[in-house]
Amino acid sequence: MSTQNPVIPSAEGIAASVRASKTRGLPPVHKWNPPFCGDLDMRIARDGTWFYEGSPIGRIGLVKLFSSILKMEDGRYFLVTPVEKVGITVDDAPFVATDFTVTGEGQDQVIRFETHVGDFTDAGPDNPIRVERDDESGEPAPYVHVRAGLEALIDRKSFYRLVELGVENDGWFGVWSQGQFFPMIPADELDL
């Protein structure tokens, strides 16, 4: 019989572990495979707000720290450090794309998105844009891949701006970025 006390994961412990690893840039979570330590009462709401034990995390630096160690495995989200892995709940996508810039024109344009935690991603073959539609309302839910299977929900104002860049291609209305066409809606469904 073991007399060792089990480690109970906490947000504070995870933050301390990440700070101690002193990595520059994004930590190499893809290389970390620690044991699963249980689920943490942490949730990312659809609007990108992070909650811990039911209360919003108000310190953006802490949210950025946690977002840097987020990993997705088998459809579940985890915060991962070199020594522990804890499950968290994500209501929709873990990030929200709150703005974008465009360089170039036509098929060669590059659409660069910025997330609410300061990540940047260039839409293209490695970071596709996809649009899901609600079966009942037809309401679009647009996403862009950020990194390692993690996506950002494109906020409403950015999506409207994205639609302004849209063109018709092979029966679809959508946008180009890095030579890749991303369909948003069948062209024959447009109200023009």
Side-chain angles (χ1 to χ4, degrees), residues 26-31 67-78 94-95 119-121 126-128 144-152:
L26 289 172
V29 297
H30 62 285
K31 295 181 180 179
S67 73
S68 74
I69 59 167
L70 191 59
K71 185 177 187 179
M72 186 173 175
E73 292 179 349
D74 299 323
R76 288 200 59 210
Y77 294 94
F78 300 93
F95 304 114
D119 286 323
F120 290 90
T121 189
D126 294 332
N127 297 307
V144 63
H145 180 264
V146 176
R147 66 173 183 271
L150 303 175
E151 291 184 312

